[in-house]
Amino acid sequence: MPDNSALWEWTVDVYGRDGVAERSLWFQDERAANVRLMLFICWAVTQGVAPDRALLARARQITTLWHKEVVVPLRRLRGALKADSKGIPVELARRFRDEVKSLELEAERVELGMTAGTGLVFSVHREFFPDGHVLLAGLLIQWRDLSLIHISE
């Protein structure tokens, strides 16, 4: 497996593509999906492998506590600050929100690194997914095993 920095760079690239962020946030908001785990699945597919149920369960086990206790509270705080400045000047609240956003992004990077750094062995499938179908392939895998990825908040 490539190192965590390669996975992170791939994730940032894919997430920045037209429509990916919006679709990913829909899965996050409407289906309580863990987007980092979705992207990990997509990345695995680009490596020529398909995560199986055991890998998904292990990745979820490794990241669930961090996701619930660190990522989600930071996300909620950022959202609350976007909706209301909580009685402080709006510009000060915006700057603080930007700091929280940076912390949330770093927490997500840590979460993704924990997933990639599991040392787990993929069950190898050599199907080829053209680049444009990587996200779809990963999402199909996730939908098949949604119970393994859904995280109640």
Side-chain angles (χ1 to χ4, degrees):
M1 270 176 22
D3 64 34
N4 294 349
S5 63
L7 170 57
W8 180 253
E9 290 169 13
W10 180 90
T11 300
V12 170
D13 175 60
V14 168
Y15 195 80
R17 293 179 188 174
D18 190 38
V20 173
E22 293 81 11
R23 287 178 185 96
S24 297
L25 292 174
W26 181 86
F27 276 99
Q28 176 179 290
D29 296 342
E30 300 298 322
R31 298 291 184 241
N34 181 327
V35 173
R36 253 63 47 220
L37 199 48
M38 287 171 43
L39 290 168
F40 172 68
I41 292 166
C42 294
W43 171 80
V45 170
T46 68
Q47 304 305 300
V49 297
D52 60 15
R53 291 180 74 74
L55 175 66
L56 295 176
R58 179 77 176 124
R60 180 177 180 220
Q61 177 187 15
I62 289 167
T63 61
T64 295
L65 186 60
W66 180 262
H67 187 80
K68 284 182 175 182
E69 300 290 328
V70 178
V71 176
V72 170
L74 286 169
R75 183 176 299 138
R76 285 186 178 147
L77 176 58
R78 182 176 53 85
L81 291 169
K82 184 176 183 179
D84 179 10
S85 67
K86 309 298 180 209
I88 65 172
V90 173
E91 180 57 25
L92 183 58
R94 185 198 60 77
R95 286 195 310 262
F96 184 74
R97 181 180 176 274
D98 288 345
E99 292 294 320
V100 171
K101 184 177 181 178
S102 293
L103 288 172
E104 179 187 356
L105 186 61
E106 185 58 28
E108 291 173 343
R109 183 178 182 150
V110 168
E111 180 181 13
L112 192 62
M114 290 178 353
T115 306
T118 60
L120 298 171
V121 176
F122 292 104
S123 57
V124 178
H125 300 276
R126 293 294 174 192
E127 296 91 0
F128 174 73
F129 294 98
D131 190 50
H133 296 94
V134 167
L135 185 61
L136 176 60
L139 294 178
L140 289 174
I141 293 166
Q142 176 167 332
W143 273 108
R144 182 188 70 207
D145 293 315
L146 188 59
S147 64
L148 294 174
I149 295 172
H150 182 273
I151 296 179
S152 303
E153 296 180 25

